[in-house]
Amino acid sequence: MRPLAPWWDIRDLGNAVGALLEWLADVGAPSWLTYVVSSLVGMLALLGWALGSQLFFIWAERRLIARMQVRLGPNRAGPFGLLQPIADALKVLAKEMVTPRGADRILFWLAPIAVVVPAITVLAVFPFGERMVLADLNVGVLYLAAISSTAIFFVFVAGWSSSNKYSLLGAMRSVAMLISYEVVQVLALLSVPIFVGSMRLGDIVAWQRDYNAWLVFLQPLALLGFIIASAVEVNRTPTDIAEAESEIVAGYHTEYGGIRWGMFQLAEYIAGFAVAAVMATLWLGGWTLWGLEEWVPGWVIFLAKVYGAFFLFIWLRGTLPRLRIDQLMGFAWKFLLPLMLLNTLLAGLEVLVWRETGAPAAVVLPAFALGNLALTGGLVVGWAVLLGQLRPERRPARPLLVRELGAIYYRPLEEAREA
Amino acid sequence: MGAVAAFWVLSTITVGSALAVALVRDLVRAVVALVGSFLGVAGLFVLLSADFLAVAQVLIYAGAISVLMVFVIALTPRGARDNSETAMRWPALALAGAMTGLMTTVALVAHWGPQVKEGLTETAAAIGEALLSRYVLPFEVASVVLLAAMLGAIVLVREE
Amino acid sequence: MTGEPLVVNVGPQHPSTHGVFRMKLTLDGERIVDCEMIMGYLHRSMEKLAEERSWTQNIPFTDRTDYLAAMTGNLAYCLAVEKLASIEVPPRAHFIRTIMAELQRIASHCMAIGTFVNDCGAWHTPLMYMLREREKVLDLFELACGARLTTNYMRIGGVARDLPPEFLPRLRAFVQEMPQRIREYEELLVENEIIVARARGIGVLPADKAIAYSVSGPMLRGSGVAWDIRKADPYAAYDRVEFDIPVGTHGDCYDRFLVRLAEMRQSVRILEQALDMIPPGPVQTPVPLALRPPPGEAYGRIESPRGELGFYVVSDGGPSPFRFHIRPPSLINLTPLPEMVRGLTVADAIITLGSVDIVVGEVDR
C-alpha cells in the first residue's frame, strides 16, 4: 500500500481519515479511541452512502423503467421529479402500521429489522479505494456468502409471524427459491478466489490491477451465473415472485405496513447495491481502471461500476416477464448448478496449468480468456440442448395462415414432441 | 480489555439464547433464539482469531441449518408445534446436568496451554491444506455422507 | 404426503381478473383440482332495459356490453335489425363499417395481448407499447364520431355520419407504420423464451372440445379450427377484400396469443384494401326514427375480436324490441375454463384466463 498522502488528496478518502487518526494520536488519545473513531467514520460513511444511493435510485429506477415503457415517469414532485423519493418516504412513514391479531408480536417486529441488517453489514468488506475499506477480512468472499445467507431465515420468520396462510405459503416459496439460488451464487463466487489465490477483496482488486486483466474476461461463465443468481437473491424481476400481484399467493411482506414495509424495500435495494458491488469488485476490477485511478478518484470509478451493474438489474426488470416458481427452481438445479460446478473445476484446472507450466501471464491470460469465452458459449448452448430446452415446441413459432374454412389443424403437444 | 468485555457480552448472548431455546413456549421463537446463539458462537470464534471458522459458522449454521429448522417446523403436524412441558422434562434436565458437570470437569482439569507456537494470520489456507493432506479421509467421507443424504431426500419425496 | 384441499378465491377484486369476475379455485398442494366461476357482478339487465327503448335508442347499449370493442357491438346489432326490417345499406357504409371494425379489432387485440403479457409478469412494458398503438386508433375514432370508447357510430341502415376529410389520409399514415410496429412486437414478445416457457402447453383446449363447447374467435382458431364468421357468413365489405385466417396448432395460451398478433397483421391488410376500394356516396339509408320492423325474428352475427358476437332480436311490430338477446362470446368462451385449468398452478390459471380475453361487461350484460 502506498504511503499516506496529504488529507486533501481526495483520490483516496482514506487519506483524510488517516490524517484525522494521526492527529488524534498526536493529541494523545488512547489507542482504543482511535480504533473506535476509525470504525465509526467507516460505518457512518457506508450507511450514508447506502441510504443516499437508495433514495436516488428510487427516483432513477422509476424514471428509467418509464422511459423503457415510452412514458415519462415521476416528474411532478420537485424539478424532474427528484423529490419523489422524499415524497415516497414521507408517505411510507405516515401509513398506519397494523399488527394482525394472531401475529407473533416479537417476531413480527423483529423480521423487518433482521432482513435489513445483513444487507447493510455485507457492505463492510468492499474496497472503495485503496484505503477505503471498513474491514478487509482475510475471508472476504466467504463473508459475503455468509452474511447474505442469514437473511433467508428471516424471510420465513416474516411470513410466519403474519398469521396469514397465504403469506406463509409465499414465504415458503421464497425460501425455497432463495436457498436454491444461494448454492449457485456461492459456487459462482468461489471460482474467483480459486483463480486469484486469495479470498481478500483487496487482494482480488490488486490482482486485477497488477495483471491489467479484469476477471470478467477470464471467468465469464461465473459472472453470468452470479448475475442470474443475485437477481433471484434480491427478489428482482424476472424473479420477483414474492411480491408479484398477479400471483394469488401473497408475498411474505403483505401484512406489513408503513415503515416496516419500507424496511423490506430498503433491504431489497441495499442488497441490490451489495451484489452490484460484488460484481464490480470481483469481476470488473473494483476501484481500478487500467491506470485511470491516478487522476480520477478510485471511489468514483467504483461507484460508477456499481451503478452500472445496478442499471443492468433495472434493465432486466423493465424488459423480461416473470418465470413460474417451478420453472425457476428447475433452471437453478438442472441448468445453472452443473454449469457452475464445471466452471469451478475449470478454474482450478487453469490455475494448475498456469502454475505448473510457469508461462508468463501475457501469454497465458489471453489464452484463458479466449478459451473461457468460447467454452461459456458452447456450454450454455450445449447444456440447453442436452436438457431439451431447445426442443421444437419450446422454440418460438408462427401460426398457420389459411384461406379456406372448415379444416382442423389441431395437433396435441405430445405428438409434436415426438415429431 | 476490549476483548474481555466482548467475551462477556458474547457469552451472555450465546448462553441466554441457548436457554431461551429450551425454555420458550413457541417453536419458531425457539429457532430464532437458536440462530441468536449461533451468531454468538461465531462472535466467540472471531475473538479467538479463527476468522474462517467464524464465517463458516455463520454460513452453515445461521444460514443453512436455520432453514433446515424452518422445513422441520413446516413438516411438523400442527399439534406437536408446542415447545411446552412434556414427560421427558426430567430425564432431559438430568442429562443436561450430567453434560454440564462433565464439561466443567474437563475444562478445569485439562491443560489449556498455548497449542500453536505463533498465531496464524491466514487460517483459511491452513485449514484447506490440512483438509486435503492430513484429514483427506474424513473430508471425503463427509462428502459421501452428504451425497447419501441428498439421494435419500430425493427418494423420499418422489411420487411414483 | 397428503394435504387438505385449500379453497382460494381469485377476485372479484384482483389486478388480473380483467374485470369483476370471481374464480373459486380448489387447490391440492399447488395444483388446481376444481374451478368454480361466479359471474354476475356487472349485470346491468341490458336485455330487459332494451325492451323499453326504441330500436335506435338501443345502439348505445351495444357500446357498453363489450366496452373494449364498441364498434363491432354496434355493427352486430345493426346487422340484426337490418335483417329483420330488410333494410339495404349503401356501399360506402359497408366499407366504412369494415374499416371501423378492423380498427377496433387492432385496438382490442392490443389491449388483449398487452394484458396477457402483463399477466405473464412483464411489468407493463409491452402493455405500454401496445397502448401507444391503441391510442392512435382511438384518436381516429374520436375524429370520426367524437368518442374514443363508447362510439355509438353505427346506425340501422348505415353509419351515423360521413368520415371527415382528414380521416382517410391519417388512416393511410397509420396503416403504413403499423406493420413495422407489429414486427417490433413479434421480436419483443414472440421470440421471448420466458413467454414461450410460461404459455406453451398451458390451458390446452383440444379442437373437438372447442367445437363441443361452441367457443369462437381466437380461442377456436388457436385450437386449430379454421372458422371465421367474416368468411363463413360475410357481412359489410368482407366478401370483397382478401385476407387470411391465422390458425394455431396446439390450442394452448401461446397459440392464442400468436393468433391474435397475426390477426392484427391481417387487419392492417384489410384496411389497406378498404382504403383503396372505398366508393363515394351516401352513408345511411334513411330510416324513420320510430322504426317499426315487421313482426319476426332475426339473428345477426359478426366476428368480434373475442369471437362470434350475435344479436337475436324479435319484433312484434312495435317501436321497441320484444326480445333483445346478446350472444356474448366472452361468456361462451369461458365455459371450458374449469377444464382448461385443471391440473395447473394458480399462476397458470391466471394466464389462461388472460388468454381467453374476456370483457366482463359482455359476460354479465
Side-chain angles (χ1 to χ4, degrees):
Chain A
M1 203 178 286
R2 61 186 74 185
L4 204 60
W7 64 270
W8 36 262
D9 187 356
I10 60 162
R11 284 177 305 172
D12 188 352
L13 291 178
N15 294 327
V17 178
L20 171 67
L21 295 177
E22 275 184 358
W23 172 81
L24 271 181
D26 290 340
V27 162
S31 63
W32 62 264
L33 188 65
T34 318
Y35 181 69
V36 166
V37 164
S38 73
S39 344
L40 232 93
V41 166
M43 285 194 264
L44 288 174
L46 269 181
L47 207 56
W49 170 73
L51 293 174
S53 297
Q54 191 228 357
L55 279 181
F56 176 68
F57 264 92
I58 291 180
W59 174 84
E61 176 164 21
R62 286 175 65 171
R63 290 289 290 213
L64 281 169
I65 291 194
R67 299 306 291 186
M68 287 184 213
Q69 291 178 352
V70 201
R71 54 187 180 91
L72 286 175
N75 56 357
R76 293 267 178 232
F80 296 105
L82 278 168
L83 293 182
Q84 183 73 34
I86 313 280
D88 280 344
L90 284 176
K91 176 193 80 168
V92 160
L93 283 170
K95 286 213 168 164
E96 187 186 357
M97 295 193 287
V98 178
T99 310
R101 198 191 310 177
D104 190 335
R105 302 192 75 93
I106 299 183
L107 294 182
F108 194 76
W109 166 85
L110 182 67
I113 303 175
V115 170
V116 171
V117 166
I120 300 184
T121 319
V122 79
L123 296 174
V125 280
F126 291 114
F128 283 67
E130 190 152 17
R131 287 174 194 280
M132 293 166 68
V133 194
L134 183 53
D136 202 5
L137 299 178
N138 278 333
V139 285
V141 171
L142 204 58
Y143 174 86
L144 294 171
I147 298 293
S148 42
S149 72
T150 52
I152 301 177
F153 173 65
F154 290 102
V155 163
F156 172 76
V157 169
W160 171 274
S161 58
S162 299
S163 93
N164 176 350
K165 67 180 165 189
Y166 302 137
S167 284
L168 185 57
L169 279 174
M172 297 289 301
R173 291 209 305 196
S174 288
V175 166
M177 193 174 77
L178 289 174
I179 58 174
S180 312
Y181 278 91
E182 193 199 322
V183 180
V184 176
Q185 192 185 35
V186 171
L187 275 177
L189 272 181
L190 265 186
S191 57
V192 169
I194 292 179
F195 211 81
V196 170
S198 161
M199 285 200 276
R200 257 183 91 210
L201 290 178
D203 281 350
I204 296 179
V205 174
W207 188 96
Q208 294 182 71
R209 184 182 55 185
D210 294 337
Y211 285 101
N212 266 326
W214 282 4
L215 277 169
V216 62
F217 302 115
L218 296 167
Q219 293 280 312
L221 190 56
L223 180 59
L224 205 60
F226 185 76
I227 293 178
I228 300 176
S230 308
V232 181
E233 288 289 313
V234 300
N235 273 328
R236 287 193 77 91
T237 326
T239 56
D240 58 348
I241 297 177
E243 20 186 85
E245 344 168 298
S246 56
E247 317 268 318
I248 183 64
V249 178
Y252 57 89
H253 52 63
T254 308
E255 297 285 342
Y256 288 88
I259 192 62
R260 295 200 181 119
W261 176 85
M263 301 276 272
F264 280 112
Q265 291 302 101
L266 190 77
E268 180 181 321
Y269 269 96
I270 297 189
F273 292 138
V275 300
V278 172
M279 282 163 56
T281 310
L282 258 60
W283 281 280
L284 293 177
W287 50 268
T288 66
L289 192 63
W290 298 309
L292 192 61
E293 63 269 13
E294 298 292 321
W295 294 282
V296 180
W299 48 273
V300 168
I301 298 176
F302 182 72
L303 286 182
K305 290 180 190 171
V306 170
Y307 293 153
F310 196 70
F311 170 72
L312 181 68
F313 285 132
I314 296 180
W315 191 2
L316 285 178
R317 179 180 184 192
T319 314
L320 293 175
R322 202 179 295 129
L323 278 171
R324 217 170 53 211
I325 180 96
D326 59 313
Q327 288 168 340
L328 202 60
M329 308 266 278
F331 184 62
W333 289 103
K334 290 194 250 183
F335 189 83
L336 281 180
L337 186 63
L339 283 183
M340 290 299 118
L341 285 173
L342 270 174
N343 184 52
T344 314
L345 180 66
L346 205 65
L349 271 175
E350 289 180 353
V351 168
L352 191 67
V353 162
W354 191 6
R355 221 169 271 171
E356 292 297 304
T357 59
V363 167
V364 163
L365 289 181
F368 282 164
L370 285 171
N372 281 346
L373 278 168
L375 220 70
T376 305
L379 272 177
V380 168
V381 174
W383 191 239
V385 169
L386 261 178
L387 278 184
Q389 303 265 21
L390 293 179
R391 282 184 308 234
E393 82 262 12
R394 293 291 292 246
R395 283 211 215 108
R398 292 282 190 279
L400 304 166
L401 292 173
V402 303
R403 287 279 170 129
E404 314 297 326
L405 291 180
I408 298 186
Y409 298 91
Y410 174 71
R411 250 190 337 161
L413 208 58
E414 291 74 31
E415 278 177 27
R417 215 169 269 163
E418 276 129 43
Chain B
M1 194 210 72
V4 176
F7 171 73
W8 283 109
V9 168
L10 285 168
S11 310
T12 320
I13 295 177
T14 312
V15 174
S17 307
L19 278 174
V21 173
L23 298 176
V24 156
R25 234 326 134 87
D26 180 42
L27 203 56
V28 178
R29 285 198 197 179
V31 177
V32 173
L34 189 64
V35 171
S37 75
F38 290 156
L39 294 174
V41 171
L44 287 171
F45 280 140
V46 171
L47 217 49
L48 290 170
S49 301
D51 50 359
F52 181 79
L53 269 183
V55 174
Q57 164 86 4
V58 172
L59 176 64
I60 298 171
Y61 277 91
I65 300 282
S66 55
V67 175
L68 174 68
M69 291 290 138
V70 159
F71 284 107
V72 166
I73 292 176
L75 291 174
T76 318
R78 210 167 288 248
R81 278 195 198 151
D82 201 9
N83 203 12
S84 61
E85 320 188 355
T86 65
M88 299 292 284
R89 233 172 155 217
W90 302 112
L93 269 179
L95 190 60
M99 287 295 294
T100 316
L102 179 66
M103 295 212 169
T104 320
T105 317
V106 167
L108 288 177
V109 162
H111 294 292
W112 291 109
Q115 301 294 314
V116 180
K117 290 298 170 204
E118 18 180 275
L120 293 164
T121 49
E122 278 242 0
T123 59
I127 293 180
E129 279 191 35
L131 271 181
L132 285 176
S133 57
R134 204 172 143 204
Y135 299 103
V136 68
L137 185 59
F139 180 62
E140 295 298 328
V141 169
S143 324
V144 172
V145 169
L146 280 173
L147 183 65
M150 282 202 287
L151 287 175
I154 295 175
V155 166
L156 275 176
V157 183
R158 264 180 63 174
E159 305 166 356
E160 289 302 327
Chain C
M1 244 181 58
T2 56
E4 16 170 280
L6 180 70
V7 174
V8 164
N9 242 332
V10 179
Q13 286 163 326
H14 188 81
S16 305
T17 48
H18 302 269
V20 271
F21 171 72
R22 188 166 142 215
M23 281 198 296
K24 239 160 100 167
L25 302 169
T26 311
L27 300 174
D28 179 20
E30 278 265 337
R31 305 273 149 180
I32 297 177
V33 164
D34 193 19
C35 163
E36 184 191 334
M37 303 185 291
I38 296 143
M39 315 164 213
Y41 288 91
L42 201 52
H43 179 66
R44 293 163 286 178
S45 58
M46 280 182 180
E47 298 185 353
K48 183 65 184 172
L49 286 173
E51 292 172 14
E52 308 291 321
R53 284 157 177 69
S54 78
W55 295 88
T56 315
Q57 275 180 322
N58 286 335
I59 298 180
F61 275 139
T62 60
D63 285 334
R64 286 150 174 84
T65 49
D66 184 352
Y67 38 78
L68 288 179
M71 288 284 190
T72 47
N74 292 158
L75 181 55
Y77 175 65
C78 294
L79 276 180
V81 179
E82 283 155 14
K83 238 189 239 184
L84 188 60
S86 311
I87 298 177
E88 281 290 321
V89 175
R92 185 174 170 90
H94 276 313
F95 276 94
I96 294 182
R97 282 179 171 185
T98 310
I99 289 177
M100 291 302 172
E102 291 309 309
L103 278 176
Q104 186 70 79
R105 193 179 312 273
I106 293 178
S108 174
H109 281 332
C110 278
M111 192 73 174
I113 299 174
T115 49
F116 170 71
V117 184
N118 207 25
D119 287 340
C120 286
W123 283 104
H124 307 298
T125 304
L127 178 61
M128 289 292 147
Y129 284 8
M130 307 202 106
L131 284 182
R132 183 183 53 183
E133 259 55 69
R134 188 165 175 262
E135 282 301 309
K136 295 187 185 134
V137 172
L138 294 182
D139 283 342
L140 282 170
F141 283 168
E142 196 179 6
L143 198 54
C145 62
R148 282 155 49 102
L149 201 65
T150 53
T151 47
N152 192 13
Y153 186 51
M154 316 273 173
R155 293 284 180 269
I156 302 170
V159 294
R161 61 178 73 83
D162 201 352
L163 302 169
E166 58 266 23
F167 185 87
L168 287 174
R170 271 178 74 165
L171 180 61
R172 200 174 287 276
F174 173 73
V175 160
Q176 264 159 5
E177 79 162 329
M178 205 49 195
Q180 195 241 334
R181 294 263 182 251
I182 299 184
R183 195 175 322 128
E184 241 179 60
Y185 300 142
E186 284 179 352
E187 279 170 19
L188 184 63
L189 299 174
V190 173
E191 311 275 334
N192 192 326
E193 272 251 351
I194 298 187
I195 292 190
V196 175
R198 279 315 287 272
R200 251 286 173 247
I202 301 295
V204 176
L205 188 64
D208 51 347
K209 288 244 168 65
I211 299 176
Y213 276 107
S214 49
V215 305
S216 52
M219 228 172 121
L220 182 64
R221 290 193 281 278
S223 292
V225 181
W227 179 255
D228 190 328
I229 311 278
R230 295 176 287 176
K231 282 207 193 281
D233 195 2
Y235 53 96
Y238 284 108
D239 45 1
R240 279 167 274 184
V241 295
E242 272 189 29
F243 59 101
D244 294 326
I245 309 172
V247 166
T249 38
H250 300 300
D252 52 15
C253 295
Y254 187 64
D255 272 339
R256 287 178 221 130
F257 156 71
L258 285 180
V259 162
R260 287 197 180 101
L261 204 52
E263 275 186 12
M264 282 170 65
R265 216 180 254 282
Q266 295 301 316
S267 293
V268 171
R269 210 171 138 193
I270 297 178
L271 282 173
E272 281 169 1
Q273 297 171 52
L275 265 177
D276 292 328
M277 299 194 330
I278 184 168
V283 292
Q284 189 182 12
T285 314
V287 154
L289 211 53
L291 176 67
R292 282 169 192 266
E297 57 186 30
Y299 178 68
R301 57 180 180 167
I302 60 152
E303 179 80 20
S304 94
R306 279 162 193 85
E308 175 183 331
L309 174 62
F311 278 84
Y312 174 66
V313 285
V314 176
S315 159
D316 58 353
S320 321
F322 179 70
R323 177 80 175 102
F324 173 91
H325 174 70
I326 309 173
R327 183 232 186 251
S330 301
L331 177 64
I332 313 278
N333 287 354
L334 265 186
T335 40
L337 190 70
E339 202 174 308
M340 288 199 292
V341 302
R342 196 157 293 144
L344 300 178
T345 59
V346 179
D348 292 335
I350 294 188
I351 292 185
T352 310
L353 182 63
S355 79
V356 173
D357 185 21
I358 60 170
V359 168
V360 185
E362 219 173 31
V363 171
D364 292 337
R365 282 154 286 151

